[in-house]
Amino acid sequence: MEQALEEVRTRIVHAARIARREPGEVTLIAVSKTHPAEAIAPLIAAGQRVFGENRVQETAEKWPALRAAHPDIEVHLVGQLQSNKADEAVALFDCIHSVDRPSLVTALGKAMDKAGRRVPCFVQVNIGAEEQKGGCAMADLPALLDQARAADLPVIGLMCVPPAGIEAAPFFALLDKLARDHGLAGRSMGMSDDFETAIMLGATHVRVGSALFGARG
């Protein structure tokens, strides 16, 4: 697993250099969802400090002990979030990548007010206009960003998951343009199969699971 991490880091550096970017501009999120603490430990030992999880409950069970041992770790929520889990999410996560609807903005704003903690957020855009996928419609993005700012959510960028099975580059380029149009610095895009393309098109955060942990059976 340490070798897999080194390979992914090398690929990130190479892609950044091709794009004439600094490798340090790209944050590697090791997506550890469904993997137990013992599978994560070798990556922590090798220096990985940012991890991604999909579910509030799994994070609450798995991460407190690991974080107590390694206080510099960050855990990011990269999966969909139910509004009724907002309080728990604000307590557990260092960043939320899946803000995608007005009800969730409202719930997170209240949860952050209550906790006295502002958690950085990405607004997820349904970049391929897929009915079954989370994310706000591109047409709804300006209004959702306005609402998030009114609720004092620290929106640092946009996130997307392009449609499966087709070339991702046009979707990454579109998210990059949307982020620029709205004055946002962050672009959470790119996974194991396409993170190098995402980096060349402006990704600041790449969400890599199977290239680090192996394909889930």
Side-chain angles (χ1 to χ4, degrees):
M1 195 174 290
E2 297 91 330
Q3 183 179 347
L5 177 61
E6 192 56 43
E7 287 174 4
V8 169
R9 285 174 169 169
T10 299
R11 289 166 63 189
I12 288 172
V13 169
H14 183 63
R17 285 184 176 152
I18 290 173
R20 299 187 178 179
R21 299 179 63 199
E22 290 297 323
E25 295 173 20
V26 182
T27 297
L28 170 61
I29 302 170
V31 179
S32 47
K33 63 179 184 179
T34 76
H35 296 287
E38 53 268 27
I40 298 167
L43 288 183
I44 295 174
Q48 178 62 25
R49 285 297 179 269
V50 185
F51 292 85
E53 291 287 340
N54 260 31
R55 293 189 172 87
V56 167
Q57 185 176 343
E58 182 182 347
T59 304
E61 292 166 357
K62 190 162 71 179
W63 278 100
L66 289 169
R67 296 185 71 147
H70 306 278
D72 56 339
I73 278 175
E74 290 184 16
V75 183
H76 291 211
L77 177 66
V78 297
Q80 298 306 118
L81 178 62
Q82 295 172 301
S83 297
N84 63 2
K85 302 276 189 182
D87 286 350
E88 293 168 88
V90 167
L92 283 169
F93 294 103
D94 299 288
C95 188
I96 295 168
H97 289 244
S98 50
V99 177
D100 64 353
R101 61 196 184 277
S103 60
L104 183 55
V105 168
T106 300
L108 285 171
K110 289 177 179 174
M112 290 184 198
D113 289 344
K114 195 189 308 181
R117 179 170 192 246
R118 308 323 285 185
V119 179
C121 296
F122 288 83
V123 168
Q124 182 176 352
V125 180
N126 187 347
I127 205 77
E130 297 174 275
E131 287 184 16
Q132 305 304 319
K133 196 167 278 184
C136 77
M138 281 185 280
D140 298 336
L141 180 60
L144 193 66
L145 288 172
D146 285 345
Q147 186 196 352
R149 288 174 182 129
D152 199 21
L153 258 60
V155 175
I156 61 171
L158 302 179
M159 182 270 239
C160 74
V161 181
I166 59 176
E167 174 57 47
F171 299 99
F172 294 151
L174 180 54
L175 193 82
D176 178 62
K177 181 182 186 303
L178 288 171
R180 270 187 284 116
D181 288 348
H182 291 284
L184 295 167
R187 292 117 168 99
S188 173
M189 59 188 195
M191 297 187 282
S192 290
D193 292 339
D194 53 24
F195 68 84
E196 289 148 307
T197 301
I199 289 167
M200 292 180 202
L201 291 166
T204 59
H205 295 69
V206 293
R207 310 180 305 272
V208 179
S210 58
L212 292 170
F213 291 96
R216 291 193 299 278

